[in-house]
Amino acid sequence: MNELAVRQREEGILLDPGRGQFVDRNGQPLTGFTRWRPTLFPVSELPDKEHLNILANRLGTTSDELKTLWSSLKVPQHWDRGGQDKKTEYVETWAVAATDGFEVLPFMDRYPGGTTGKQWLGYVAQRPDTIKKIGNPRLFPLTMQVGASGLERTLDRFLRGTGGTRAYYSVDGKKRPLPGIGTRAEGASNRYYPVQVRTTVDNGIQERLEWIVEQMDVREGAVVVLDAKQGDIVSMVSRPFFDPVHIDLEEGNWSNRAVKAAAPGSIFKTVIAAAALEEGLTHPGEVFHCSGHYGKYGLSCWKKEGHGHITLEQGFARSCNVVFATLGERLSADSVARGAAKLGLNQKVGWNESHFMGGDDLHQLDQEEKGTVFNPAGVVDGGALAQTALGQRDVTVTPLQAANLVVTLLHDGQVTSPRLVTQIRYRDESVMANFPVHTIRGNQGQISARTARLLREWMRLVVTDGTGRTLAQAKWPLAGKSGTAQTKKGGKAMNHQWFIGYGPVSNPKYAVAVLVQNRPTGSEHQAAVLFRRTMDMLAEQGS
């Protein structure tokens, strides 16, 4: 009996590792997909030639190749080339091939398959060093997969569970099938595990946005969609896509560009306008003169012939560099940094909590960067301030921060902390943990409701009378701000293109930030096009 028990353990195959699963805000699965697959178990005698031929044909191989593989098996093996989601139809097609040592079994696939822009979800991998720290080899063998990035990593301690489910094919000590017993499954029986993690993401919107990004052939960049009312992450797409089952660490596609900082260009003029208004250094009707050249530091306006006499309000709508370089020089470095902090920049904004549930600090968003305003080691002179005011020099912002800045304006200056997860539930549906809405209360305070309202109105002017007029025909009335930042890739001059905004104007539902990286200079502003298509898709979703 002992020998039989050992032998059965040896013949077992893992069906489900017992790891917790993720769902979207509507309860739709993001992980955990059952696939029925043909499975071979080591047995002492293979089927006769007739059955072997039938099985080989069904498996898409030759009887000789199948015989060679099967006879050499030391442990069970499922057939990688087949698998279906529906049990009844699939199992019935294999009934004619039924034979000893062969079963069609349900395996739990972690991911649905193919490439995706859900880098925020992450992937799992074998990490023996992590497992050794847990110190329970019976429940957590060194071969167990744990979170390596994204939510899989940040919530790994809650997802590990208490053991998986294995299938055993009953054989005696000589590998002969035991009549009438066949295959049985064994797993940990626990009312609490595995857990279910409810995210803030709408997977329908996420998949449609991934399709739009791919259809537009966006090579590099990110799109972030936030719920305007609570600031939650509705969708977050990073490009290029990655395959969570086949990770190339050197290629780096698994990295989430939505939380990586990049030069913001003119979207940073929102910060400069807020800072100058809050400091009382300008007013909406102040008139500037733009000749097309700033006259120092080698700066010029994007409009070579200049804007002529132009008010601050018009300068924002038309993104006049001369207006904002002038404001930059009026401001001090501390004023600019303070204005950025009040709008949630130069800091990590993703949901976090110290000593979460009495344990370690928890940051929901993996890989998040804080961005920069000035180089701490640099000299901040007039030139540095003028360039910073245009979103160049040392300024970097993440797409998540940019979208959250828009939410901050919609909330009259209150900075929220975007959530990616709202709740973790035990297997029996009882609640393990809630993640309440957080606001960020920095020591710099917040911008006034009046300034926030002005900036919202000016973002609307961008669409009706400024650089965003191509959005005037969108399905919703929109408001936003464009940006183009000069950068280099491989020594070649390129542009990062941005567009941030909200819609619909009268009753904002979503705040969106789009970054398209490393575009050829002079090329179409792909970020503005992608912003409009994103908003049109959201309008259709809400209709």
Side-chain angles (χ1 to χ4, degrees):
M1 291 298 292
N2 283 338
E3 182 182 5
L4 175 59
V6 170
R7 178 66 64 187
Q8 287 177 332
R9 284 197 296 273
E10 289 176 347
E11 313 307 347
I13 187 169
L14 186 67
L15 301 179
D16 180 355
R19 186 172 177 83
Q21 305 292 358
F22 292 94
V23 297
D24 79 347
R25 60 170 52 194
N26 302 310
Q28 296 302 306
L30 298 172
T31 59
F33 301 90
T34 300
R35 302 271 157 70
W36 291 81
R37 289 191 175 93
T39 307
L40 302 174
F41 289 84
V43 289
S44 57
E45 294 183 7
L46 300 186
D48 58 37
K49 188 174 182 179
E50 180 182 353
H51 276 87
L52 205 61
N53 282 332
I54 293 172
L55 198 53
N57 286 334
R58 287 296 178 94
L59 293 173
T61 186
T62 66
S63 58
D64 288 341
E65 288 177 346
L66 177 58
K67 184 176 181 180
T68 300
L69 170 66
W70 204 345
S71 61
S72 64
L73 286 183
K74 302 297 182 185
V75 294
Q77 180 175 319
H78 69 72
W79 198 256
D80 288 331
R81 300 177 219 171
Q84 286 190 9
D85 298 338
K86 293 183 179 180
K87 173 183 177 181
T88 305
E89 297 174 9
Y90 194 54
V91 173
E92 285 178 355
T93 63
W94 286 96
V96 69
T99 187
D100 289 338
F102 173 81
E103 295 282 354
V104 177
L105 297 174
F107 289 84
M108 183 68 75
D109 283 357
R110 185 75 185 160
Y111 308 109
T115 59
T116 176
K118 299 184 184 76
Q119 283 85 344
W120 48 267
L121 183 59
Y123 67 97
V124 293
Q126 290 184 8
R127 303 177 69 189
D129 291 344
T130 300
I131 297 299
K132 286 178 182 177
K133 294 176 183 176
I134 302 173
N136 190 334
R138 185 180 67 83
L139 286 178
F140 307 111
L142 293 180
T143 55
M144 187 181 82
Q145 292 191 323
V146 296
S149 76
L151 288 176
E152 294 278 25
R153 191 186 77 82
T154 59
L155 299 180
D156 185 66
R157 55 179 153 154
F158 307 107
L159 295 167
R160 290 172 192 153
T162 57
T165 300
R166 304 183 74 87
Y168 300 93
Y169 192 73
S170 301
V171 294
D172 64 16
K174 295 182 179 180
K175 286 191 177 181
R176 294 176 301 197
L178 294 174
I181 298 180
T183 307
R184 61 188 178 87
E186 285 187 0
S189 178
N190 192 305
R191 62 175 288 192
Y192 298 113
Y193 294 93
V195 300
Q196 183 186 88
V197 178
R198 185 171 292 267
T199 69
T200 60
V201 171
D202 185 313
N203 197 44
I205 291 175
Q206 175 78 24
E207 290 186 348
R208 278 187 280 277
L209 189 50
E210 289 184 17
W211 180 84
I212 290 170
V213 166
E214 194 159 23
Q215 188 188 55
M216 287 183 60
D217 195 27
V218 175
R219 304 294 178 86
E220 302 173 74
V223 185
V224 177
V225 180
L226 300 184
D227 178 335
K229 288 185 172 57
Q230 294 196 138
D232 290 336
I233 298 168
V234 177
S235 177
M236 190 188 301
V237 174
S238 179
R239 186 75 169 171
F241 293 168
F242 85 120
D243 184 344
V245 178
H246 304 99
I247 298 295
D248 186 333
L249 292 176
E250 292 186 4
E251 193 174 61
N253 290 355
W254 58 275
S255 183
N256 184 5
R257 297 194 184 213
V259 294
K260 297 293 184 180
S266 291
I267 67 167
F268 196 72
K269 290 173 181 174
T270 311
V271 174
I272 300 301
L277 288 167
E278 293 285 290
E279 298 282 337
L281 298 176
T282 187
H283 58 87
E286 182 182 358
V287 178
F288 300 80
H289 182 75
C290 171
S291 65
H293 299 278
Y294 188 54
K296 47 187 174 178
Y297 314 125
L299 298 178
S300 60
C301 190
W302 63 269
K303 190 173 183 180
K304 293 181 180 180
E305 66 275 19
H307 289 97
H309 293 297
I310 186 170
T311 65
L312 174 59
E313 180 180 78
Q314 293 168 333
F316 184 90
R318 299 170 192 175
S319 203
C320 178
N321 287 347
V322 170
V323 169
F324 282 88
T326 302
L327 291 180
E329 284 205 83
R330 288 183 193 174
L331 291 161
S332 66
D334 285 344
S335 295
V336 175
R338 187 161 52 247
K342 287 180 178 180
L343 290 170
L345 305 187
N346 201 24
Q347 60 190 300
K348 294 181 180 180
V349 295
W351 195 99
N352 68 90
E353 189 168 296
S354 299
H355 308 297
F356 183 71
M357 293 182 67
D360 296 335
D361 296 352
L362 177 64
H363 292 260
Q364 287 188 0
L365 288 158
D366 188 30
Q367 310 172 42
E368 186 184 7
E369 295 179 352
K370 61 177 289 189
T372 55
V373 177
F374 297 105
N375 182 347
V379 177
V380 183
D381 54 16
L385 286 166
Q387 288 179 306
T388 298
L390 306 183
Q392 293 283 171
R393 193 133 177 143
D394 301 315
V395 188
T396 59
V397 173
T398 71
L400 177 66
Q401 289 173 324
N404 201 52
L405 180 155
V406 177
V407 173
T408 299
L409 298 180
L410 293 173
H411 289 199
D412 287 339
Q414 176 61 65
V415 182
T416 59
S417 190
R419 294 183 299 178
L420 194 47
V421 172
T422 56
Q423 194 174 71
I424 302 177
R425 285 184 175 269
Y426 288 114
R427 184 180 181 182
D428 66 0
E429 292 294 317
S430 61
V431 176
M432 172 196 278
N434 285 310
F435 300 83
V437 173
H438 279 184
T439 56
I440 298 175
R441 300 186 184 278
N443 55 15
Q444 303 291 351
Q446 66 182 64
I447 66 170
S448 67
R450 178 179 180 275
T451 297
R453 184 179 68 253
L454 274 175
L455 291 171
R456 294 198 304 267
E457 291 171 356
W458 294 357
M459 291 174 84
R460 176 58 180 159
L461 279 177
V462 168
V463 175
T464 59
D465 191 41
T467 56
R469 283 192 293 268
T470 57
L471 303 175
Q473 302 305 314
K475 295 183 178 180
W476 272 342
L478 303 176
K481 182 74 186 78
S482 63
T484 303
Q486 297 171 357
T487 186
K488 285 189 176 182
K489 184 178 182 181
K492 185 178 180 181
M494 307 288 275
N495 287 332
H496 289 340
Q497 299 175 345
W498 290 82
F499 204 97
I500 64 174
Y502 64 93
V505 170
S506 59
N507 181 29
K509 293 183 178 180
Y510 300 101
V512 173
V514 175
L515 166 63
V516 180
Q517 294 175 285
N518 300 312
R519 289 277 289 167
T521 56
S523 60
E524 177 192 31
H525 202 285
Q526 198 175 30
V529 178
L530 181 51
F531 177 84
R532 173 178 172 172
R533 292 196 61 178
T534 300
M535 282 299 193
D536 282 350
M537 177 268 290
L538 293 170
E540 291 172 358
Q541 178 80 6
S543 61

Coordinates of all heavy atoms in Angstrom, one line a residue, residues 226 267-268 270-271 339-340 343-345 349 397 399-411 414-415 447 455 459 500 511:
L226 N -8.9 57.0 -16.4 CA -9.3 57.0 -15.0 C -10.8 57.4 -14.8 O -11.3 58.2 -15.6 CB -8.5 58.1 -14.2 CG -7.0 57.9 -14.1 CD1 -6.4 58.9 -13.2 CD2 -6.6 56.5 -13.6
I267 N 2.2 69.7 -22.0 CA 1.2 69.4 -21.0 C 1.6 69.9 -19.6 O 0.8 70.2 -18.7 CB 0.8 67.9 -20.9 CG1 2.0 67.1 -20.3 CG2 0.3 67.3 -22.2 CD1 1.6 65.6 -19.9
F268 N 3.0 70.1 -19.5 CA 3.5 70.7 -18.2 C 3.1 72.2 -18.1 O 3.2 72.7 -17.0 CB 5.0 70.5 -18.1 CG 5.6 70.7 -16.7 CD1 5.4 69.7 -15.7 CD2 6.3 71.8 -16.4 CE1 5.9 69.9 -14.5 CE2 6.9 72.0 -15.2 CZ 6.6 71.1 -14.2
T270 N 0.3 73.2 -17.9 CA -0.8 73.2 -17.0 C -0.2 73.5 -15.6 O -0.8 74.3 -14.8 CB -1.5 71.9 -17.0 OG1 -1.8 71.5 -18.3 CG2 -2.8 71.9 -16.2
V271 N 0.9 73.0 -15.2 CA 1.5 73.2 -13.9 C 2.0 74.6 -13.8 O 1.8 75.3 -12.8 CB 2.7 72.2 -13.7 CG1 3.4 72.5 -12.4 CG2 2.2 70.8 -13.7
G339 N 4.1 74.0 -7.2 CA 3.0 73.8 -8.1 C 2.8 72.4 -8.6 O 1.7 71.9 -8.7
A340 N 3.9 71.8 -8.9 CA 3.9 70.4 -9.4 C 3.4 69.4 -8.3 O 2.6 68.6 -8.6 CB 5.3 69.9 -9.9
L343 N -0.3 69.3 -7.8 CA -1.0 68.6 -8.8 C -0.7 67.1 -8.9 O -1.0 66.5 -9.8 CB -0.8 69.3 -10.2 CG -1.5 70.7 -10.3 CD1 -1.0 71.4 -11.5 CD2 -3.0 70.6 -10.3
G344 N 0.1 66.7 -7.9 CA 0.4 65.2 -7.8 C 1.6 64.8 -8.6 O 1.7 63.6 -8.8
L345 N 2.4 65.7 -9.0 CA 3.6 65.3 -9.7 C 4.8 65.2 -8.8 O 4.8 65.6 -7.6 CB 3.9 66.3 -10.9 CG 2.7 66.6 -11.9 CD1 3.2 67.5 -13.0 CD2 2.2 65.3 -12.4
V349 N 1.9 58.3 -7.1 CA 0.5 58.6 -6.8 C -0.4 57.4 -6.6 O -1.5 57.5 -6.1 CB -0.2 59.6 -7.8 CG1 0.5 60.9 -7.8 CG2 -0.1 59.0 -9.2
V397 N 7.3 63.0 -16.3 CA 6.0 62.7 -15.8 C 5.5 61.4 -16.3 O 5.8 61.0 -17.4 CB 4.9 63.8 -16.2 CG1 3.5 63.5 -15.8 CG2 5.3 65.2 -15.7
P399 N 2.4 58.7 -17.5 CA 1.0 58.9 -18.0 C 0.0 58.7 -16.9 O -1.0 59.4 -16.9 CB 0.9 57.7 -19.0 CG 2.3 57.5 -19.5 CD 3.2 57.8 -18.3
L400 N 0.3 57.9 -15.8 CA -0.7 57.8 -14.7 C -0.8 59.1 -14.0 O -1.9 59.6 -13.6 CB -0.2 56.7 -13.7 CG -1.1 56.6 -12.5 CD1 -2.5 56.1 -12.9 CD2 -0.4 55.6 -11.5
Q401 N 0.4 59.8 -13.7 CA 0.4 61.1 -13.1 C -0.4 62.1 -13.9 O -1.1 63.0 -13.4 CB 1.8 61.6 -12.8 CG 2.6 60.9 -11.8 CD 4.0 61.3 -11.7 OE1 4.6 61.6 -12.7 NE2 4.6 61.4 -10.5
A402 N -0.2 62.1 -15.2 CA -0.8 63.0 -16.1 C -2.3 62.9 -16.1 O -3.0 63.9 -16.1 CB -0.3 62.9 -17.6
A403 N -2.8 61.7 -16.2 CA -4.3 61.4 -16.1 C -4.8 61.9 -14.7 O -5.9 62.4 -14.6 CB -4.6 60.0 -16.3
N404 N -4.0 61.6 -13.7 CA -4.4 61.9 -12.3 C -4.4 63.5 -12.1 O -5.3 64.0 -11.3 CB -3.5 61.3 -11.3 CG -4.2 61.2 -9.9 OD1 -5.3 60.7 -9.8 ND2 -3.5 61.6 -8.9
L405 N -3.6 64.2 -12.8 CA -3.6 65.6 -12.8 C -4.9 66.2 -13.3 O -5.5 67.1 -12.7 CB -2.4 66.2 -13.6 CG -2.2 67.7 -13.8 CD1 -0.8 68.0 -14.1 CD2 -3.1 68.3 -14.8
V406 N -5.4 65.5 -14.3 CA -6.7 65.9 -14.9 C -7.8 65.7 -13.8 O -8.7 66.5 -13.6 CB -7.0 65.2 -16.2 CG1 -8.4 65.6 -16.7 CG2 -6.0 65.5 -17.2
V407 N -7.8 64.5 -13.2 CA -8.8 64.2 -12.1 C -8.7 65.3 -11.0 O -9.7 65.7 -10.4 CB -8.6 62.8 -11.5 CG1 -9.5 62.6 -10.3 CG2 -8.8 61.8 -12.6
T408 N -7.4 65.7 -10.7 CA -7.2 66.7 -9.6 C -7.9 68.0 -10.0 O -8.6 68.6 -9.1 CB -5.7 66.9 -9.4 OG1 -5.1 65.7 -9.0 CG2 -5.5 68.0 -8.4
L409 N -7.8 68.4 -11.2 CA -8.6 69.6 -11.7 C -10.1 69.4 -11.6 O -10.8 70.3 -11.2 CB -8.1 70.0 -13.1 CG -6.7 70.3 -13.3 CD1 -6.4 70.6 -14.8 CD2 -6.2 71.5 -12.5
L410 N -10.5 68.2 -11.9 CA -12.0 68.0 -11.9 C -12.5 67.9 -10.4 O -13.7 68.2 -10.2 CB -12.3 66.6 -12.6 CG -12.0 66.6 -14.1 CD1 -12.2 65.2 -14.6 CD2 -13.0 67.5 -14.8
H411 N -11.6 67.7 -9.5 CA -11.9 67.6 -8.1 C -11.6 68.9 -7.4 O -11.4 68.9 -6.1 CB -11.2 66.4 -7.4 CG -11.8 65.1 -7.8 ND1 -11.6 64.0 -7.0 CD2 -12.5 64.7 -8.8 CE1 -12.2 62.9 -7.6 NE2 -12.8 63.4 -8.7
Q414 N -8.2 68.7 -5.3 CA -7.9 67.6 -4.4 C -7.2 66.5 -5.2 O -7.8 65.9 -6.1 CB -9.2 67.1 -3.7 CG -9.0 65.9 -2.8 CD -8.0 66.1 -1.7 OE1 -8.3 66.9 -0.8 NE2 -6.9 65.5 -1.7
V415 N -6.0 66.1 -4.7 CA -5.3 65.0 -5.4 C -5.8 63.6 -4.9 O -5.7 63.4 -3.7 CB -3.8 65.1 -5.2 CG1 -3.0 64.0 -6.0 CG2 -3.3 66.5 -5.7
I447 N -4.1 73.4 -5.0 CA -4.4 74.6 -5.7 C -5.9 75.0 -5.4 O -6.7 74.1 -4.9 CB -4.3 74.4 -7.2 CG1 -5.3 73.4 -7.8 CG2 -2.8 74.1 -7.6 CD1 -5.3 73.4 -9.3
L455 N -8.4 76.4 -15.3 CA -7.6 75.5 -16.1 C -8.6 74.5 -16.8 O -8.3 74.1 -18.0 CB -6.6 74.7 -15.2 CG -5.5 75.5 -14.7 CD1 -4.6 74.8 -13.7 CD2 -4.6 76.0 -15.8
M459 N -8.7 74.2 -20.9 CA -8.6 73.0 -21.6 C -9.7 72.8 -22.6 O -9.5 72.2 -23.7 CB -8.6 71.8 -20.6 CG -7.3 71.8 -19.7 SD -7.3 70.5 -18.4 CE -6.8 69.1 -19.3
I500 N -3.7 65.0 -22.9 CA -4.4 64.7 -21.7 C -5.7 65.5 -21.7 O -5.8 66.5 -22.4 CB -3.6 65.1 -20.5 CG1 -3.4 66.6 -20.4 CG2 -2.3 64.3 -20.4 CD1 -2.7 67.1 -19.1
A511 N -11.1 60.7 -17.2 CA -9.9 61.5 -17.5 C -8.9 60.6 -18.2 O -8.7 59.4 -17.8 CB -9.3 62.0 -16.2

